[in-house]
Amino acid sequence: MKPLPLLVSLVSLSALALAPAALAQAPASQAVAKPASQTPTQKRAPLARSAAKAVEEATPIDEDTDVSLSDAELAVAQRVYVGNIPCELGNAVQVTPAKRQGFFILQVDKPRKARYFMHPVESRTGAIRLEDPKRGALWLQLGNKSMLMSQKLGLRVADECMSPEQVTLADEMKRNPPRSILEPAEPHR
């Protein structure tokens, strides 16, 4: 009769399956009490979003930076558009000159209120570039629009931001599009 080896193997498999559970149970006499210092402490509930937002808004921006601006960077700072600059999707960026010459405070409303302490950086392309290296933010001001980018997240926080001067230039570019760099050059006369 051959069913006996099958029965033996089933019994041994079930014994193996139950062995870890039997070993894991320790008798009550072997239980070790934890010292009072190791008892779990009660965790605090996280702050409400509105409370965290209020704390962030009241916290001053760290304006203590070791960046010293060159004359070229100070010249770039004079061309930065200041004020409330509306952006796409109902967003807006408030650009305010800081107490320190050549520095700016940028505040964006959405997706959450965030403030940045920025300084100008020279650009080979002629674009106006402000950076906040501590928070990883970049404000790029072109002729027809500006944008705020998060270098940490790798995305645009605010796009299509236009001051009144930029709106005028954007409208002019729509009426008279600039020549594409891919078009052949005009023949010399």
Side-chain angles (χ1 to χ4, degrees), residues 70-85:
S70 67
D71 291 336
E73 290 169 334
L74 288 171
V76 169
Q78 293 176 356
R79 300 185 332 208
V80 173
Y81 297 128
V82 295
N84 190 33
I85 301 175

Side-chain angles (χ1 to χ4, degrees), residues 86 143-145 161-173:
N144 61 336
K145 74 173 187 173
C161 304
M162 292 189 207
S163 69
E165 295 88 351
Q166 290 172 312
V167 170
T168 303
L169 183 61
D171 290 341
E172 180 63 30
M173 288 176 72

Side-chain angles (χ1 to χ4, degrees), residues 40 46 65 90 106 112 115 137 142 146 179:
T65 179
L106 270 75
R112 63 178 182 84
R115 296 179 302 167
L142 305 173
S146 298
R179 182 185 178 110

Side-chain angles (χ1 to χ4, degrees), residues 23-156:
L23 291 175
Q25 294 179 355
S29 62
Q30 294 178 356
V32 179
K34 290 185 181 179
S37 63
Q38 292 183 358
T39 57
T41 59
Q42 188 177 18
K43 292 185 179 181
R44 292 183 186 169
L47 283 178
R49 189 174 199 163
S50 59
K53 185 176 176 183
V55 168
E56 182 178 316
E57 289 175 7
T59 305
I61 295 176
D62 182 19
E63 295 184 13
D64 183 27
T65 179
D66 58 354
V67 175
S68 58
L69 301 179
S70 67
D71 291 336
E73 290 169 334
L74 288 171
V76 169
Q78 293 176 356
R79 300 185 332 208
V80 173
Y81 297 128
V82 295
N84 190 33
I85 301 175
C87 305
E88 72 177 355
L89 304 175
N91 203 355
V93 175
Q94 180 70 37
V95 181
T96 310
K99 293 176 187 174
R100 193 167 163 193
Q101 183 184 8
F103 287 78
F104 298 89
I105 296 174
L106 270 75
Q107 181 167 333
V108 64
D109 294 331
K110 297 176 186 175
R112 63 178 182 84
K113 283 198 178 236
R115 296 179 302 167
Y116 305 99
F117 185 67
M118 304 191 122
H119 63 87
V121 176
E122 282 189 85
S123 168
R124 293 182 295 206
T125 62
I128 295 174
R129 181 182 171 114
L130 301 177
E131 290 185 2
D132 183 346
K134 288 184 180 178
R135 292 172 191 81
L138 170 72
W139 175 255
L140 192 59
Q141 179 182 305
L142 305 173
N144 61 336
K145 74 173 187 173
S146 298
M147 63 194 83
L148 180 64
M149 295 183 277
S150 170
Q151 294 173 320
K152 288 183 179 179
L153 300 175
L155 55 89
R156 293 181 187 176

